[in-house]
Amino acid sequence: MSVSVEEGLALLKRRLVEINDVRSAGAVLGWDQATHMPIGGAASRARQRATLSRLAHQKATDAELGCLLDTLHSQRQGVLEPDSSLVRVARRDFEKASKVPAGFVERASAHQSQSYAAWTRAREENDFAAMVPYLTKSVELSREYAEFFAPFEHVCDPLINEADEGMTVAEIRRIFSELRPALIDMTREIDDQARLDNSCLKGMFNEDQQIAFGLLVVEKIGYDLSRGRLDKTVHPFSTRFSSGDVRITTRVRTDEISESFFSTLHEAGHALYEQGVSEELDGTSLGRGASAGLHESQARLWENIVGRSYPFWEYWYPVLQNRFPGSYADVSLDGFYAAINRVERSLIRTDADEVTYNLHIMMRFDLELEMLEGRLNVKDLPEAWRARMCEDLGIEPETNREGCLQDVHWYAGHIGGAFQGYTIGNVLGAQFYETALQAHPDIPQQLQRGDYSQLLDWLRTEVHQHGRRYQPNELIVRATGKPLHVAPYLKYLCEKFDALYSLPVSKDRSDQLVTVQSNGALPTTGGG
Ligand code: ZN
């Protein structure tokens, strides 16, 4: 192909924007299906979405695109940023997509749709046995997928790399082995304390007023409603069609006020990331968030570190009291703050508090590795689940519905790669926040005033604007000066929950962490 670098780049962008347009059209159909579509549209909608996915996959693996990328790669000395990053990332995406045969993509996606439909029934009826054949096939397909990327150190590495590029089983085990003992200790210490009262979160709360309050808060934080909107759905999510259209959804219960609010804030965190990606990258391979863990870090930072903090509610609690006078006229700010931060050993991951949440994730991560390695038979999953719940949280589910059937991930996708991002996000959120605080020590005072500009500016500059220009690990080091590490997160949890629950050993642990931090990285404890 004899084209100049400029012509080649223009051609590349035209092709990438076209692929992106097909995918965005599919995303609009998905959003519509989850928000407004009548039930009668289900069958034709599944077909329409499958057609668009197939078209996008064809375009993304077109041999001419491969030639163009090879040519541009060979001319890379003459390509400036951000185009040189674009060529690098687009080439990697192309190679990855080309390794997976179209036949496999179709087989896997047909199986996943059937498995999802079976799971919605099985979960309702608490019937794990019905899912055993589906789950067994999912394990096989996940292994088959991994084989396209051989050689690898662990069969789950390619599946993890799909969501969290550059991460491996070995690295995640190292991080988790540093977190787990500390979190189990904290959960035990807190359990010995009197439980905080959260009854003020229950009652009768008008649906429209809840949505209006959530919207008021996320707009104040910086979610741009001229480039976004909020709708109701069964499972909250955020979705990007372009830099000018990034939407969020929420689920509302009229008998409880916190679920809708915090899920709105969480999804707005995802959406702020997408709205903050530099506009010049829009429609190309660089024009979106860099990984599942990075995305989750933004959602968790706003939901938990900011949204469950005392300074945040010093500003918003009077507004909430004003909007729900019947429920909050007699509840103090301290009482409300304690209620939204209550720690409780619970069976359901999505209801879990900040201290116990990661224990739910680590358990799923270990169990999926065991299934992929062939060390755990799918039929024995419920027993393994109960045993691990007992070990880590001291409680066990009476039904599989509250156990291994609760999450959709294993029943509508691959086994492996879908859970680690949540905990990576929690850890990273604290690491980003700590660095932002070093640059702007008065952020907490700004939160008291309902001012989010410095924090958001820092995140925009250091994280959001870059999209996928840097590999996740590279972006983390650029932004914080260090690779991903657990010390800031454990320090954050210790300080916060020590103040709420007076933890006996948290002081020692904090001191220990400060020492470890000043020496650089945390000690490596190896896999396990
Ligand atoms: Zn999320």
Side-chain angles (χ1 to χ4, degrees):
M1 210 182 290
S2 69
V3 289
S4 71
V5 174
E6 289 71 31
E7 284 168 333
L9 282 169
L11 214 59
L12 174 68
K13 284 177 193 169
R14 236 182 355 257
R15 278 180 173 269
L16 294 176
V17 166
E18 213 174 78
I19 297 167
N20 184 71
D21 284 348
V22 177
R23 288 198 177 127
S24 300
V28 176
L29 292 186
W31 171 85
D32 174 72
Q33 184 170 6
T35 52
H36 300 302
M37 188 190 79
I39 190 147
S44 55
R45 183 55 49 89
R47 193 193 61 238
Q48 290 154 357
R49 291 180 70 185
T51 302
L52 289 177
S53 312
R54 197 173 55 243
L55 286 176
H57 186 76
Q58 274 167 10
K59 285 177 181 297
T61 54
D62 187 335
E64 274 183 41
L65 175 61
C67 288
L68 179 59
L69 283 165
D70 284 345
T71 309
L72 284 165
H73 178 69
S74 68
Q75 299 166 321
R76 63 189 176 281
Q77 278 84 359
V79 183
L80 302 172
E81 275 299 308
D83 289 336
S84 62
S85 290
L86 176 63
V87 173
R88 194 184 65 244
V89 172
R91 199 155 174 263
R92 208 167 57 215
D93 287 350
F94 176 82
E95 282 167 3
K96 221 158 78 178
S98 305
K99 281 186 178 169
V100 185
F104 176 86
V105 174
E106 236 161 83
R107 230 164 8 102
S109 99
H111 167 70
Q112 284 159 6
S113 309
Q114 287 160 7
S115 174
Y116 174 75
W119 170 76
T120 54
R121 278 194 309 274
R123 187 179 125 162
E124 200 57 46
E125 292 160 12
N126 188 37
D127 183 5
F128 179 73
M131 292 315 296
V132 170
Y134 290 100
L135 205 49
T136 306
K137 188 161 180 202
S138 295
V139 172
E140 284 165 19
L141 286 168
S142 304
R143 285 203 197 114
E144 196 179 333
Y145 177 86
E147 286 301 330
F148 298 131
F149 299 91
F152 41 71
E153 204 173 294
H154 191 283
V155 63
C156 197
D157 285 347
L159 294 146
I160 291 170
N161 194 56
E162 192 58 30
D164 288 296
E165 199 189 350
M167 276 289 173
T168 60
V169 168
E171 175 65 5
I172 293 163
R173 276 183 169 152
R174 187 183 67 74
I175 295 163
F176 285 6
S177 68
E178 287 165 5
L179 273 182
R180 188 166 163 232
L183 295 178
I184 289 176
D185 278 359
M186 275 180 87
T187 307
R188 288 200 182 123
E189 287 159 18
I190 288 171
D191 208 46
D192 294 335
Q193 313 278 323
R195 278 186 183 165
L196 300 179
D197 177 18
N198 68 350
S199 57
C200 69
L201 304 177
K202 300 182 177 102
M204 279 299 288
F205 303 95
N206 178 279
E207 182 174 298
D208 293 340
Q209 278 178 356
Q210 286 194 62
I211 291 181
F213 180 68
L215 209 50
L216 180 75
V217 174
V218 297
E219 193 176 14
K220 180 98 175 160
I221 280 172
Y223 177 52
D224 178 357
L225 284 170
S226 72
R227 300 189 291 142
R229 55 176 288 133
L230 171 68
D231 290 88
K232 269 197 311 167
T233 185
V234 181
H235 302 289
F237 64 93
S238 68
T239 180
R240 174 197 176 107
F241 308 143
S242 69
S243 73
D245 194 348
V246 182
R247 305 186 187 186
I248 59 174
T249 68
T250 192
R251 165 171 55 201
V252 189
R253 284 169 55 178
T254 50
D255 62 346
E256 207 275 350
I257 199 169
S258 72
E259 182 175 319
S260 168
F261 177 76
F262 286 108
S263 77
T264 304
L265 202 52
H266 179 97
E267 298 308 332
H270 283 298
L272 283 170
Y273 188 3
E274 292 296 338
Q275 286 190 338
V277 174
S278 167
E279 221 182 304
E280 64 168 334
L281 308 177
D282 197 34
T284 74
S285 319
L286 304 181
R288 60 187 154 94
S291 71
L294 274 164
H295 239 295
E296 212 48 36
S297 77
Q298 301 307 296
R300 301 269 162 184
L301 191 154
W302 290 104
E303 178 196 353
N304 290 332
I305 298 177
V306 173
R308 289 182 206 269
S309 75
Y310 199 85
F312 177 85
W313 286 103
E314 281 180 277
Y315 181 83
W316 287 110
Y317 192 56
V319 184
L320 186 79
Q321 283 181 307
N322 207 345
R323 295 204 166 205
F324 299 91
S327 306
Y328 293 109
D330 300 327
V331 179
S332 68
L333 170 59
D334 286 17
F336 181 77
Y337 173 69
I340 57 170
N341 285 297
R342 170 171 145 133
V343 176
E344 192 173 8
R345 299 155 188 252
S346 64
L347 297 170
I348 307 296
R349 172 184 66 89
T350 52
D351 295 343
D353 54 80
E354 284 185 86
V355 176
T356 58
Y357 185 88
N358 298 297
L359 294 172
H360 291 266
I361 296 301
M362 293 181 220
M363 174 179 93
R364 285 155 177 75
F365 182 74
D366 287 342
L367 291 175
E368 65 189 9
L369 294 190
E370 285 182 35
M371 285 192 280
L372 286 170
E373 290 165 3
R375 287 192 291 128
L376 173 63
N377 264 319
V378 164
K379 68 171 174 39
D380 299 327
L381 178 63
E383 198 41 56
W385 184 286
R386 279 194 290 275
R388 179 65 180 263
M389 281 295 288
C390 245
E391 196 183 331
D392 282 10
L393 285 154
I395 53 171
E396 58 176 279
E398 280 175 22
T399 65
N400 290 324
R401 193 191 148 102
E402 292 173 305
C404 63
L405 281 175
Q406 67 179 267
D407 291 313
V408 66
H409 308 58
W410 288 338
Y411 304 100
H414 289 308
I415 311 289
F419 283 111
Q420 77 286 329
Y422 294 110
T423 290
I424 292 175
N426 282 327
V427 171
L428 258 185
Q431 189 172 335
F432 285 138
Y433 189 73
E434 180 183 72
T435 314
L437 215 50
Q438 280 158 5
H440 307 289
D442 56 339
I443 285 176
Q445 288 75 46
Q446 295 197 333
L447 298 186
Q448 285 176 324
R449 299 195 298 271
D451 178 358
Y452 307 94
S453 53
Q454 274 194 342
L455 178 58
L456 184 59
D457 281 352
W458 188 90
L459 292 168
R460 287 261 192 264
T461 309
E462 300 297 333
V463 182
H464 300 177
Q465 61 160 331
H466 304 299
R468 294 175 75 211
R469 264 182 72 179
Y470 306 110
Q471 274 219 332
N473 293 336
E474 192 186 344
L475 182 82
I476 295 162
V477 173
R478 287 179 68 102
T480 68
K482 282 180 188 166
L484 173 80
H485 61 294
V486 300
Y489 182 56
L490 284 179
K491 187 162 176 278
Y492 157 75
L493 286 180
C494 284
E495 283 173 4
K496 177 172 179 177
F497 290 94
D498 182 33
L500 277 160
Y501 285 96
S502 312
L503 304 179
V505 306
S506 90
K507 168 120 195 6
D508 307 345
R509 201 181 297 122
S510 279
D511 290 349
Q512 221 177 344
L513 284 168
V514 172
T515 324
V516 170
Q517 247 187 325
S518 61
N519 293 341
L522 278 164
T524 321
T525 35

